[in-house]
């Protein structure tokens, strides 16, 4: 399994220090650039990449390295660290040694540490790696540095790290696979987990998390379906009855049982595209309501290295318009929180699509009483369209393991003024739910907050379904059985 190697340095890598690291392979290898200069590649004599190195990323957010790499990854001191990621070509042992030697040389020059500390090539990094006769995999598999195997149907990426983040290169692979009508398939050992942004994107895109298990072979880390390699991609296996079996490893004893909780709010806002519009205010309001503070950092990928700034977020979105802008926003280690924020330019204006998830441990009280007030603020100040609040039993650190977790259950739904007008005020204010909706915002153009129960049973989903059918003017579903 391919292992990425990361150098966390105390000082900013410059061109000379990067070049010194690249000389770990001696003078016989070629140095090239890719991705419009964002990636430096160490290539064999035929120009095929052996090691791909991302542009250094400054981490100004405390705890971000530990969130993705585990305890002990943080550097001592109060200053920023630089994250330099090197990815070795699959199936080439010398490539892994080159990646490790590059990272080790960089930290020797600039201070810091290598992750993982036992990466091949880190011992004796001062001496060049023996690359005599080394050859990378042939094109087209090596045409995209992050892809380990490319077929007409899938781009397969091998990963072995504590948490698989949505790095810049992985998001680029996801974009490229979607554009080429392929599926992204990330293959990991069973000890790996997905970050929240990675999980959300894999669930919404033609993509799959493939877990390699010694008992069943391969299974889907999000659904548990046993997988086989057929027709140039990992696909669900079929049993004798024609159904796909679920891997035992996915439903192993203790799967789905935890005292930890996650609270998620997903909402959309719409703004007029005025010259003084500053984005991120709705996310700030939600963050403050659920955590008592503000976001710590943000970025266009993971790790999120920039300190939180609504102004910089707005400038980036305007630079990229009319293309959408997708970002990751993170909190502090004391209160794990991660959000994805997508800014979209539509004919109606500027839309922000946000999913914020906050983790809570045993005995920690969830701020459910703050939700109606948050809904009121979003309706009154930030042009809320809709919001869905959900609870689930899941890890406090917000990462997703490759085993069964209880699905989220809806707790509340919010309808903004424009959507109330579309549904009809009488329809929106008189629903089949047990509790009367709470009116939000000005009486002339109100929104409504709908309580859906205690989010302890599947009845919450039934309540949400009844509400949505009512708002859309669809007759109630026939009772089952």
């Amino acid at each position: 399994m391919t292992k990425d190697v990361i150098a966390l340095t105390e000082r900013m890598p410059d061109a000379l220090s990067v070049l010194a690291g690249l000389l770990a392979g001696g003078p016989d290898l070629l140095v090239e650039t890719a991705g419009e200069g964002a990636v430096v590649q160490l290539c064999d004599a035929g120009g095929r990449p052996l090691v791909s190195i991302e542009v250094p990323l400054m981490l100004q957010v405390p705890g971000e390295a530990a969130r993705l790499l585990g305890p002990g990854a943080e550097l001592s001191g109060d200053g920023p660290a630089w994250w330099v990621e090197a990815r070795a070509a699959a199936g080439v042992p010398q490539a892994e040694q080159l990646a490790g030697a590059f990272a080790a040389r960089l930290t020797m020059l600039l201070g810091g540490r290598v992750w993982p500390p036992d990466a091949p090539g880190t011992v004796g990094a001062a001496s060049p790696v023996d690359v005599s006769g080394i050859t990378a995999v042939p094109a087209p598999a090596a045409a995209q540095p992050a892809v380990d195997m490319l077929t007409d149907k899938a781009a397969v990426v091998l990963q072995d790290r504590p948490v698989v983040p949505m790095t810049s290169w992985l998001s680029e692979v996801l974009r490229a696979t979607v554009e080429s009508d392929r599926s992204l398939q990330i293959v990991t050992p069973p000890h790996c987990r997905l970050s929240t942004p990675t999980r959300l994107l894999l669930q919404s895109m033609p993509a799959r998390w493939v877990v390699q298990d010694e008992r069943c072979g391969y299974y889907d880390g999000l659904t548990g379906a046993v997988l086989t390699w057929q027709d140039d991609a990992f696909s669900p296996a079929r049993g004798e009855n024609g159904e796909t079996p679920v891997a035992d490893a996915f439903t192993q004893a203790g799967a789905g049982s935890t005292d930890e909780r996650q609270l998620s709010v997903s909402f959309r806002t719409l703004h007029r595209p005025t010259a003084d519009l500053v984005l991120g205010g709705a996310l700030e309001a939600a963050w403050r309501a659920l955590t008592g503070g503000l976001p710590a950092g943000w970025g266009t990928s993971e790790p999120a290295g920039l300190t939180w700034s609504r102004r910089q977020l707005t400038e980036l979105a305007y630079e990229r318009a009319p293309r959408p802008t997708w970002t990751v926003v993170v909190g502090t280690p004391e209160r794990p929180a991660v959000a994805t924020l997508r800014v979209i330019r539509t004919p109606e204006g500027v839309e922000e699509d946000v999913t914020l998830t906050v983790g809570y441990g045993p005995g920690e009280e969830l701020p459910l009483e703050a939700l109606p007030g948050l809904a009121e603020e979003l309706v009154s100040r930030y042009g809320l369209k809709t919001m869905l609040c959900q609870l689930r039993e899941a890890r406090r650190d917000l990462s997703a393991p490759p085993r069964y977790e209880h699905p989220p259950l809806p707790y509340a739904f919010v309808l903004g003024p424009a959507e109330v007008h579309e549904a009809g005020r009488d329809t929106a204010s008189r629903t089949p739910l047990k509790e009367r909706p709470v009116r939000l915002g000005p009486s002339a153009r109100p929104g409504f907050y709908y309580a859906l129960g205690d989010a302890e049973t599947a009845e919450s989903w039934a309540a949400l379904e009844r509400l949505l059918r009512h708002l859309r003017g669809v007759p109630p579903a026939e009772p089952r059985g």
Side-chain angles (χ1 to χ4, degrees), residues 255-470:
S257 300
T258 180
D259 293 331
E260 300 177 347
R261 298 289 185 274
Q262 293 178 8
L263 170 60
S264 294
V265 292
S266 301
F267 57 88
R268 291 182 299 136
T269 62
L270 181 65
H271 315 280
R272 290 184 298 171
T274 59
D276 58 351
L277 173 63
V278 180
L279 302 171
L283 175 58
E284 269 195 2
W287 209 288
R288 188 183 298 108
L290 302 186
T291 72
L294 294 177
W298 74 290
T300 56
S301 60
E302 293 181 285
L306 301 172
T307 54
W308 172 246
S309 168
R310 292 179 58 190
R311 178 186 58 80
Q312 292 180 351
L313 169 67
T314 304
E315 290 174 352
L316 176 66
Y318 271 84
E319 288 174 4
R320 294 179 56 86
R323 294 175 297 161
T325 297
W326 182 88
T327 57
V328 177
V329 186
V330 298
T332 63
E334 294 75 27
R335 172 56 64 213
V338 175
T340 59
L341 186 156
R342 190 166 184 255
V343 180
I344 313 164
R345 186 69 168 90
T346 70
E348 291 76 28
V350 180
E351 184 174 296
E352 293 180 274
D353 191 344
V354 175
T355 295
L356 167 61
T357 305
V358 186
Y360 301 88
E364 292 182 321
E365 186 175 353
L366 278 67
L368 301 178
E369 72 286 346
L371 294 176
L374 170 60
E376 172 76 36
E377 183 175 3
L378 296 182
V379 165
S380 301
R381 298 184 57 192
Y382 297 108
L384 181 74
K385 294 173 67 69
T386 59
M387 180 168 73
L388 178 62
C389 308
Q390 301 181 88
L391 303 177
R392 68 185 308 211
E393 296 179 17
R395 295 173 62 104
R396 182 181 186 271
D397 65 11
L398 307 181
S399 64
R403 59 177 181 271
Y404 175 77
E405 289 188 311
H406 290 290
L409 293 171
Y411 181 79
F413 183 73
V414 182
L415 210 59
E419 283 62 34
V420 168
H421 178 75
E422 182 178 346
R425 182 163 179 169
D426 286 344
T427 298
S429 61
R430 300 174 182 175
T431 74
L433 300 179
K434 296 178 181 178
E435 295 188 36
R436 292 171 58 91
V438 178
R439 194 183 72 188
L440 308 169
S443 58
R445 281 181 55 82
F448 286 99
Y449 175 95
Y450 304 95
L452 302 173
D454 57 9
E456 294 290 340
T457 67
E459 171 58 27
S460 296
W461 278 117
L464 179 60
E465 182 182 5
R466 289 196 301 271
L467 173 64
L468 295 180
R469 294 178 73 92
H470 170 78

